[in-house]
């Protein structure tokens, strides 16, 4: 059985599943398109080129199109737990099944289908994203037996706080910006919720009680201490920390009150990218385990719709998947030999070069699904100096308060971090041991968002980390995404060369080839 699934709207993607195996998840922003891009001709042509037959099932994720005259449902629409559309259709001349379910269901089914199989008769799914903030208790047949709404628009409210403090964000008519959530997560680490005075508490209370933040009701907060306060002001950082705490506590309290203890928790939605919240869920003594997929935001919704269709046809939602399910790198040009000297990759020599302070553009295999670079489309650098963080943020053309994440061999976790659990998808915070001196990857609050690596999860990156450990004692490097600011991962040589030549990155590794900038 071959399933094609499409996610319309922002974070557009096409997922392909054959016989329970994820073949591809192609997000339209990848290959240097704008962040959150809808499905485009390039995505469709890529699927056509890489899949050798027409599907048996075409699945369309539900969505809503907002127009000036009316709101129109796409497929099964945005919300709804029971709305499934199935019918015959012709697809380029082939008789296939058409399937559609809601966007809400795409999140639920993505979390269930990508999670490890469970023997427990019930599972809890938390969907918290820009619009939805609900728990769902699900039985072994993926039937929702209890629905617990907690807070509407948790992701939207979180993003709106950044816009409220940002003088460039308009008072009327704007929507919370998708990329502001990550910035606010970084700023929250600079604040302490206990420092919030009555004015900050009042502003956060009003934000949580607002009927909706779509469009952002900034004009209603003109009398607030946060209105245009500046995103890096102390009041904004304190409010960010308080809002982070308050939102999490609302959901944790609801879980304890309304859900049975001991079920596995599956997390879906863009709030699942908040490593502070993910770490807090691990500390909540209510669930037997916690699972967060690497594409927990809308980048995984096409996969979720494909899983929903699979379950509808077979009664089993589980799939086999690999995080490296994007496309291979495109060698559309050969770097100019007068500018780039090409040699075979020598991991030990490259590790020595990185240790000397050089930044390396590192490209291997197929791109990662989801928004986090996990060692196949990465910028790598040494982790010890404060200046390295500033250099990487300058190269990436982003704010200097944004942290840089580390990538670490499993063998070294106990030496440099306080917890040794595996996290191959970079979704949790842990504390940096003070003796480790990892200044470039230690956030202001002493935390780090670590990707753990084994030889089995990413052999080439593990080999490089092992070579770095020979010289420096630990296999830890800075790891940040290889992309133009505001765009998805770089996936072709022409873009890679342009990026490195304009950003001063003098080393590119593509597969087993090392390109070193000449002195010209």
């Amino acid at each position: 059985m071959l399933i094609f699934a499409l996610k319309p709207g922002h974070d557009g993607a096409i997922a392909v599943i054959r016989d329970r195996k994820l073949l591809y998840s192609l997000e339209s922003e990848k290959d240097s398109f704008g962040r959150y891009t809808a499905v485009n001709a390039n995505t469709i042509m890529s699927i056509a080129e890489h899949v050798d037959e027409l599907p048996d099932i075409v699945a369309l994720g539900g969505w809503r199109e907002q127009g000036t005259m009316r709101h129109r449902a796409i497929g099964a629409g945005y919300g709804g737990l029971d709305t499934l559309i199935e019918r015959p259709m012709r697809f380029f001349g082939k008789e296939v099944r058409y399937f559609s379910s809601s966007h809400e269901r795409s999140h639920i089914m993505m979390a269930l289908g990508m999670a490890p199989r469970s023997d427990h008769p019930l599972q809890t799914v938390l969907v918290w994203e820009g619009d939805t903030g609900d728990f769902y208790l699900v039985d072994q047949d993926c039937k929702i037996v209890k629905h617990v709404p907690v807070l509407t628009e948790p992701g939207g409210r979180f993003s709106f706080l950044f816009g409220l403090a940002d003088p460039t964000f308009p008072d009327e008519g704007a929507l919370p910006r998708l990329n502001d959530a990550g910035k606010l997560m970084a700023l929250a680490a600079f604040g302490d919720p206990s420092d919030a005075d009555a004015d900050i508490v009042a502003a956060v209370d009003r934000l949580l009680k607002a009927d909706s933040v779509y469009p952002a009701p900034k004009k209603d907060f003109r009398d607030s201490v946060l209105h245009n306060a500046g995103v890096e002001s102390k009041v904004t950082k304190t409010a960010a920390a308080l809002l982070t705490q308050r939102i999490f506590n609302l959901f944790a309290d609801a879980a304890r009150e309304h859900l049975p203890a001991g079920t596995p928790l599956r997390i879906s939605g863009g709030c699942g990218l908040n490593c502070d919240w993910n770490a807090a869920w691990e500390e909540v003594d209510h669930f037997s385990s916690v699972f967060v997929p690497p594409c927990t935001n809308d980048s995984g919704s096409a996969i979720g719709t494909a899983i929903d269709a699979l379950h509808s046809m077979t009664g089993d939602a589980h799939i086999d998947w690999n995080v490296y399910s994007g496309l291979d790198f495109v060698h559309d040009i050969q770097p100019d030999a007068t500018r780039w000297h090409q040699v075979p990759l020598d991991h030990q020599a490259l590790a020595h070069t990185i240790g000397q302070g050089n930044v390396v553009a590192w490209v291997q295999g197929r791109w990662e699904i989801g928004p986090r670079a996990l060692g196949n489309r990465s910028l790598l650098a040494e982790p010890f100096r404060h200046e390295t963080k500033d250099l990487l943020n300058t190269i990436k053309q982003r704010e200097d308060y944004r942290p840089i994440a580390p990538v670490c061999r499993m063998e070294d976790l106990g030496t440099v971090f306080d917890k040794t659990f595996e996290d191959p998808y970079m979704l949790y915070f842990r504390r940096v041991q003070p003796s480790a001196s990892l200044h470039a990857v230690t956030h202001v609050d002493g935390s780090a968002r670590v990707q753990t690596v084994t030889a089995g999860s990413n052999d080439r990156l593990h080999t490089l980390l092992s070579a770095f450990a020979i010289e420096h004692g630990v296999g830890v490097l800075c790891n940040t995404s290889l992309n133009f600011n505001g765009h998805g991962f770089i996936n072709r040589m022409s873009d890679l060369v342009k990026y490195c030549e304009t950003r001063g990155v003098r080393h590119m590794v593509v597969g087993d080839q090392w390109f070193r900038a000449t002195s010209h």
Side-chain angles (χ1 to χ4, degrees):
M1 182 186 296
L2 184 64
I3 302 172
F4 282 17
L6 183 149
K7 192 273 181 185
H10 69 77
D11 288 295
I14 298 177
V16 180
I17 293 176
R18 175 187 282 134
D19 299 333
R20 300 200 177 282
K21 182 176 181 180
L22 178 65
L23 300 184
Y24 294 99
S25 179
L26 304 189
E27 301 143 51
S28 292
E29 71 171 40
K30 303 290 172 67
D31 199 6
S32 298
F33 286 90
R35 288 292 309 277
Y36 318 113
T37 293
V39 167
N40 55 33
N42 184 72
T43 321
I44 296 170
M45 294 301 291
S46 294
I47 283 294
E49 183 177 9
H50 287 85
V51 181
D52 57 7
E53 60 182 307
L54 290 173
D56 302 298
I57 301 170
V58 176
L60 175 64
W63 198 248
R64 60 179 171 230
E65 182 176 346
Q66 295 184 351
T68 56
M69 300 298 294
R70 61 184 177 139
H71 290 221
R72 179 180 179 181
I74 296 175
Y78 195 93
L81 300 180
D82 302 316
T83 305
L84 302 178
I85 301 173
E86 292 186 47
R87 60 175 172 81
M89 72 171 290
R90 289 181 63 81
F91 188 76
F92 291 101
K94 180 180 177 179
E95 296 290 339
V96 303
R97 294 295 295 176
Y98 169 85
F99 176 91
S100 184
S101 59
S102 69
H103 180 68
E104 184 178 10
R105 281 187 64 93
S106 78
H107 277 299
I108 297 168
M109 298 305 292
M110 182 256 291
L112 291 170
M114 296 184 74
R117 289 190 184 271
S118 173
D119 295 330
H120 199 286
L122 297 171
Q123 299 180 76
T124 298
V125 178
L126 167 60
V127 177
W128 52 351
E129 47 134 42
D131 189 85
T132 304
D134 297 2
F135 284 107
Y136 310 84
L137 194 62
V138 185
D139 68 13
Q140 290 181 319
D141 296 323
C142 294
K143 180 181 178 182
I144 297 166
V145 298
K146 189 171 186 179
H147 178 202
V148 183
V150 181
L151 177 69
T152 61
E153 304 171 0
R157 294 172 198 273
F158 195 75
S159 296
F160 169 57
L161 176 55
F162 189 96
L164 176 59
D166 182 2
T168 69
F169 189 83
D171 271 12
E172 296 186 62
L175 299 176
R177 296 172 298 207
L178 295 171
N179 62 340
D180 283 351
K183 297 176 183 180
L184 195 74
M185 183 172 69
L187 289 168
F190 290 84
D192 185 336
S194 64
D195 290 338
D197 60 20
D199 290 335
I200 294 174
V201 171
V204 169
D205 282 344
R206 286 172 60 188
L207 192 157
L208 289 171
K209 293 176 182 177
D211 290 337
S212 176
V213 294
Y214 296 104
K218 186 172 178 177
K219 65 178 182 179
D220 298 337
F221 286 77
R222 285 172 179 162
D223 61 339
S224 163
V225 68
L226 297 175
H227 186 265
N228 291 341
V231 297
E232 295 190 62
S233 67
K234 181 175 174 53
V235 293
T236 301
K237 293 173 180 176
T238 302
L242 179 62
L243 183 63
T244 299
Q245 181 187 75
R246 290 284 302 280
I247 288 177
F248 181 81
N249 286 344
L250 283 171
F251 282 85
D253 290 345
R256 294 187 186 98
E257 182 177 355
H258 299 291
L259 296 167
T263 65
L265 176 65
R266 288 46 173 114
I267 294 175
S268 187
C271 294
L273 295 173
N274 188 311
C275 297
D276 194 18
W277 285 336
N278 290 342
W281 281 120
E282 290 281 359
E283 299 296 325
V284 171
D285 187 20
H286 191 77
F287 299 104
S288 61
S289 62
V290 178
F291 169 77
V292 189
C295 50
T296 183
N297 65 337
D298 278 10
S299 66
S301 289
I303 298 174
T305 299
I307 290 171
D308 207 0
L310 177 68
H311 175 264
S312 179
M313 303 300 170
T314 69
D316 185 355
H318 186 78
I319 65 167
D320 296 322
W321 59 276
N322 188 295
V323 73
Y324 304 107
S325 293
L327 292 180
D328 286 307
F329 192 72
V330 179
H331 295 265
D332 59 337
I333 67 165
Q334 180 66 18
D336 186 341
T338 67
R339 295 177 177 269
W340 295 94
H341 178 57
Q342 180 178 351
V343 298
L345 174 60
D346 179 326
H347 287 90
Q348 199 61 57
L350 180 63
H352 179 74
T353 297
I354 293 173
Q356 291 181 315
N358 292 285
V359 175
V360 175
W362 174 263
V363 175
Q364 300 294 330
R366 294 166 65 177
W367 78 53
E368 305 89 328
I369 63 175
R372 301 256 160 92
L374 301 172
N376 276 19
R377 301 292 184 273
S378 293
L379 287 174
L380 303 177
E382 61 82 21
F384 305 116
R385 299 180 304 128
H386 292 284
E387 293 81 5
T388 302
K389 179 182 83 75
D390 297 333
L391 173 61
L392 288 169
N393 277 332
T394 298
I395 291 171
K396 290 173 66 68
Q397 298 180 347
R398 67 180 196 173
E399 300 84 356
D400 60 6
Y401 59 78
R402 303 285 291 275
I404 297 294
V407 59
C408 179
R409 294 189 309 172
M410 281 293 297
E411 300 93 307
D412 298 297
L413 282 175
T415 302
V416 293
F417 300 106
D418 66 334
K419 296 178 181 177
T420 59
F421 64 88
E422 191 169 1
D423 182 13
Y425 311 128
M426 198 187 292
L427 289 167
Y428 295 90
F429 280 137
R430 64 191 87 202
R431 313 296 293 183
V432 181
Q433 301 285 13
S435 59
S437 299
L438 300 178
H439 300 299
V441 296
T442 304
H443 203 16
V444 64
D445 61 353
S447 69
R449 186 181 70 198
V450 184
Q451 179 198 357
T452 64
V453 175
T454 65
S457 67
N458 193 318
D459 181 59
R460 291 205 172 188
L461 184 56
H462 187 268
T463 299
L464 178 60
L465 291 167
S466 297
F468 191 79
I470 291 173
E471 286 203 25
H472 299 279
V474 290
V476 182
L477 291 171
C478 296
N479 173 28
T480 188
S481 55
L482 178 60
N483 65 294
F484 294 95
N485 186 267
H487 295 76
F489 299 158
I490 289 171
N491 200 54
R492 60 188 59 237
M493 186 65 83
S494 56
D495 287 334
L496 179 63
V497 170
K498 177 181 178 181
Y499 184 89
C500 291
E501 290 185 350
T502 57
R503 307 295 174 87
V505 178
R506 298 181 58 80
H507 297 269
M508 308 184 300
V509 172
V510 180
D512 59 1
Q513 296 299 303
W514 181 359
F515 298 88
R516 300 184 294 204
T518 66
S519 57
H520 293 79

